Amino acid sequence: MMNKPNLAFTTQPIEYTDEKLEIEGQLPVWLSGTLIRNGPGQFEIGGKPIKHWFDGLAMLHRFQISGGSVTYTNKMLQSDCYLEAKQHQRFNHDMFAEKPNYPWWQRLYRQCVPKFTDNTNVNIGLVDGQTIALTETPRYIAFDSDTLETQGQFAFQDAVSGQVTTAHPLYDLKQKMIYNVHIQYGPTSHYIIHRMPINSCTREVVAKIPTKQASYMHAFSMTNNYVILFELPLRFSLTALFFSGKTFLDCFHSQEKLGSQIIVVDKRNGELVCRTEVSPFFVFHPMTAYEDKNKLLIDLPIVEEPDFLKQLYLDRLRKEAVPLGTVTRFELDLKTKDCRSYFWTSHALEFPRTNTRVSDPRWCYAVGQSEEQRMNQLLKLDRRTGEAAIWQGDDLSVGEPVFVASPDAKEEDHGVICSVVLEHQQSRSFLLILDATSFSEIARANLPCHIPLGFHGAFLAAN
């Protein structure tokens, strides 16, 4: 049976502060810290529904875990976008799939100078001791990880610029560097790869890769020596943005004849190693990538529909399940530049996570779904065999699994998985804790409310 999807995309109007949650089961004694989740919390403005999942107004969620108990706090992120929408009862920024209904004299100006959103509803990051909320525009908002109070715009101390960025910075354990990618649109567009120490807010450009027409890029992959970008057939039209009055989403056009490109850059010197064309695909979240002598092995949950973003309009999400990605391994020879691809597991998945302390992880944790229901499974996928352990429930929607390592872990999977799960029939959510080794439930903390289906989060261990 198909579970009821509406609650997953229904506004949560109540804000809680340090609400103590009822615990079923027993939390590990060692588990102490804060899980912070980010995602849409409001889906209408001025009585009108928001159209796209990516435009839902950001709400932060905090689960404080200590001494076997859990408290819950949630707050709307006080972005300029949110505050102006609240004041005027309409969007006053260029959103992902909506444009403001400006008066005609403002419309002329905004055609050339778009006012991009700071509705940072996608991810959580740590930069120079501050916790920040991220989205795909390079506008970042700092907030207090203890209270969730918004602290204002976060500014880097450098000249790196671009209209778009990925929402998924990656951390290099050996270098102790944070890497990310900006996209700079122009007559010739560029993918700008940059890095910085975790205790800094000054970024250094590693490489600037030109492209005739930049693609949509939500995330990228990285190994010890390489940054790997995925240039998709979904290409951006700068002319359409400036002169057609189209939304940002409608400025992307599928050009399958271009195929997809795997772009590899050497982190050590910034050189372009290869740019290899493969069959067209779409990907949100790469799984893992690692080096095997002269080869790169890259695992991606891909979908074959280049216009996949348009399947995420809320009216569609409330009616039908969106297919998850088919796991595909790309084997790229760095000498010959040849690339072959093959399926290595039957499990479709999204929101993949790993133990980030391991450079070549065996285990990948992800969201899956049964044939009857959408996103009602959590998977522990063995990358050596393609087999998976599965936790699932009826009439549930599960969120991204976050791995938390045990402080005395001797194996890669010694720890727990934290996931926020929505119970549709009960009209509430709970924080699920799984033993990562056995992949069995050990505890859950029941909330007094539902949490809409969100995107990403981070666990901040107690000092």
Side-chain angles (χ1 to χ4, degrees), residues 48-60:
K48 295 182 179 180
I50 292 171
K51 297 177 183 178
H52 198 276
W53 194 14
F54 286 7
D55 286 336
L57 290 164
M59 175 178 276
L60 300 172

Side-chain angles (χ1 to χ4, degrees), residues 1-44:
M1 108 184 167
M2 176 69 70
N3 56 29
K4 294 184 293 186
N6 287 350
L7 195 61
F9 308 105
T10 298
T11 293
Q12 172 47 256
I14 303 173
E15 294 185 346
Y16 295 86
T17 301
D18 293 331
E19 181 81 8
K20 190 170 183 179
L21 304 184
E22 171 200 9
I23 306 293
E24 296 181 31
Q26 189 170 1
L27 295 167
V29 175
W30 57 264
L31 185 59
S32 181
T34 303
L35 175 69
I36 299 179
R37 299 286 303 165
N38 195 357
Q42 181 174 324
F43 295 94
E44 60 279 321

Side-chain angles (χ1 to χ4, degrees), residues 30-309:
W30 57 264
L31 185 59
S32 181
T34 303
L35 175 69
I36 299 179
R37 299 286 303 165
N38 195 357
Q42 181 174 324
F43 295 94
E44 60 279 321
I45 298 174
K48 295 182 179 180
I50 292 171
K51 297 177 183 178
H52 198 276
W53 194 14
F54 286 7
D55 286 336
L57 290 164
M59 175 178 276
L60 300 172
H61 308 267
R62 173 182 179 268
F63 296 88
Q64 176 65 39
I65 306 172
S66 179
S69 65
V70 182
T71 60
Y72 171 70
T73 299
N74 65 316
K75 279 185 170 51
M76 294 297 297
L77 190 70
Q78 304 294 296
S79 64
D80 290 345
C81 175
Y82 171 74
L83 294 174
E84 291 181 21
K86 187 176 180 180
Q87 178 183 355
H88 300 291
Q89 292 297 292
R90 57 175 171 80
F91 279 132
N92 200 34
H93 290 68
D94 288 278
M95 306 296 285
F96 188 75
E98 299 191 45
K99 288 185 77 72
N101 186 20
Y102 295 123
W104 68 267
W105 60 89
Q106 290 187 24
R107 197 176 306 129
L108 291 175
Y109 174 71
R110 289 298 175 197
Q111 292 289 78
C112 297
V113 187
K115 186 179 182 181
F116 289 118
T117 181
D118 65 345
N119 180 36
T120 50
N121 64 0
V122 176
N123 206 357
I124 301 296
L126 293 173
V127 178
D128 197 21
Q130 290 188 270
T131 312
I132 60 174
L134 310 170
T135 188
E136 293 178 337
T137 62
R139 300 186 66 185
Y140 311 91
I141 297 183
F143 65 93
D144 188 311
S145 60
D146 290 329
T147 65
L148 301 186
E149 294 292 341
T150 301
Q151 296 175 324
Q153 300 284 332
F154 179 89
F156 290 93
Q157 304 300 311
D158 55 55
V160 174
S161 64
Q163 293 85 0
V164 175
T165 184
T166 84
H168 292 274
L170 295 179
Y171 183 58
D172 186 305
L173 289 168
K174 291 184 177 179
Q175 294 184 351
K176 293 182 169 51
M177 289 278 187
I178 301 171
Y179 281 75
N180 206 354
V181 180
H182 269 52
I183 301 178
Q184 195 175 73
Y185 297 123
T188 298
S189 296
H190 291 86
Y191 305 119
I192 302 173
I193 301 170
H194 52 80
R195 65 187 170 204
M196 67 179 177
I198 194 169
N199 59 351
S200 170
C201 54
T202 302
R203 298 165 295 188
E204 168 196 14
V205 173
V206 176
K208 191 173 182 180
I209 309 300
T211 184
K212 290 183 179 179
Q213 198 171 13
S215 86
Y216 178 80
M217 189 179 298
H218 183 76
F220 62 101
S221 287
M222 192 166 70
T223 65
N224 288 336
N225 296 307
Y226 303 103
V227 171
I228 307 162
L229 309 183
F230 307 102
E231 189 171 55
L232 309 177
L234 201 58
R235 302 300 179 94
F236 185 76
S237 170
L238 191 64
T239 302
L241 178 68
F242 285 154
F243 301 112
S244 71
K246 291 183 177 180
T247 68
F248 190 72
L249 173 57
D250 287 335
C251 290
F252 285 98
H253 302 283
S254 175
Q255 300 186 35
E256 293 188 56
K257 64 181 180 181
L258 298 177
S260 292
Q261 305 278 335
I262 298 179
I263 302 170
V264 181
V265 173
D266 194 316
K267 291 157 66 174
R268 296 161 293 189
N269 53 29
E271 291 184 1
L272 177 63
V273 177
C274 67
R275 188 171 196 149
T276 299
E277 183 175 344
V278 295
S279 297
F281 65 83
F282 181 91
V283 64
F284 269 125
H285 304 109
M287 291 172 62
T288 53
Y290 63 98
E291 301 168 29
D292 182 13
K293 298 180 181 178
N294 294 319
K295 293 182 178 180
L296 290 180
L297 300 180
I298 307 161
D299 292 339
L300 304 177
I302 68 170
V303 293
E304 296 180 354
E305 174 54 63
D307 279 335
F308 184 73
L309 290 173

